[in-house]
Amino acid sequence: MISVNIYNESGHKYIPKKMIQLAVLLTAEKELKKDCDISIVICNDDYIHDLNIRYLQHDYPTDVITFEIDDEPLTGEIYISADTAKLQAEEYKVSFRDELMRLAVHGTLHLAGHLDNTDELRKRMSELEDKYLKEIKA
């Protein structure tokens, strides 16, 4: 069983919880293939900046951070900055909803063990994001 809970701590009123949940469920079913409990926290730049400093020693806000809390059953937390997602949506000329879904899929891929610390790995991650987002829209 895959459980996905979404919490809006961002201050943004419109958060497409059902679509984000669907994106995470589809990705987790294909990539994780085991029971898991995933929490998605939609937050603001200040909150994710604090997490980035505290746990990753990076002094800047970011779009998404993923933490694996436990392995059996897999328990993970994915933090998404709505502020950064909104800016990226404008930059990439996509909807805020689509950018939030992409970041949720991205975080789920990290839970599945995918990395994005080289150009080649980033390209592969982007291809997987596109693949799962297309499946949702099909």
Side-chain angles (χ1 to χ4, degrees), residues 78-137:
I78 300 170
Y79 293 83
I80 298 171
S81 171
D83 298 337
T84 298
K86 193 158 189 62
L87 291 172
Q88 288 178 176
E90 292 168 10
E91 180 184 338
Y92 303 144
K93 298 181 179 20
V94 298
S95 70
F96 180 52
R97 180 196 79 169
D98 285 354
E99 185 62 12
L100 287 171
M101 288 172 52
R102 177 174 298 280
L103 294 172
V105 168
H106 185 92
T108 307
L109 290 169
H110 276 306
L111 274 180
H114 292 277
L115 300 175
D116 60 356
N117 54 350
T118 68
D119 288 343
E120 186 178 319
L121 292 173
R122 261 188 299 283
K123 182 176 185 265
R124 178 65 182 138
M125 189 93 121
S126 182
E127 289 168 353
L128 287 169
E129 291 166 11
D130 290 344
K131 173 185 168 186
Y132 294 128
L133 291 170
K134 273 186 192 150
E135 286 185 31
I136 291 165
K137 293 178 182 181

Side-chain angles (χ1 to χ4, degrees), residues 1-4 21-38 74 78 104-105 108-109 111-112 132:
M1 185 179 107
I2 299 171
S3 167
V4 179
Q21 186 176 43
L22 180 62
V24 171
L25 281 170
L26 175 77
T27 306
E29 285 173 1
K30 303 279 175 100
E31 293 287 330
L32 296 169
K33 299 176 183 148
K34 63 179 178 177
D35 290 349
C36 57
D37 183 13
I38 301 171
L74 178 62
I78 300 170
V105 168
T108 307
L109 290 169
L111 274 180
Y132 294 128

Side-chain angles (χ1 to χ4, degrees), residues 31-87:
E31 293 287 330
L32 296 169
K33 299 176 183 148
K34 63 179 178 177
D35 290 349
C36 57
D37 183 13
I38 301 171
S39 294
I40 309 284
V41 179
I42 310 296
C43 59
N44 60 30
D45 271 354
D46 289 339
Y47 192 89
I48 209 162
H49 187 177
D50 183 54
L51 289 175
N52 217 8
I53 290 170
R54 190 177 325 158
Y55 296 105
L56 302 173
Q57 291 74 51
H58 300 153
D59 190 8
Y60 51 85
T62 189
D63 51 5
V64 60
I65 296 176
T66 303
F67 296 104
E68 183 177 325
I69 307 301
D70 204 354
D71 189 43
E72 282 301 323
L74 178 62
T75 305
E77 293 178 353
I78 300 170
Y79 293 83
I80 298 171
S81 171
D83 298 337
T84 298
K86 193 158 189 62
L87 291 172

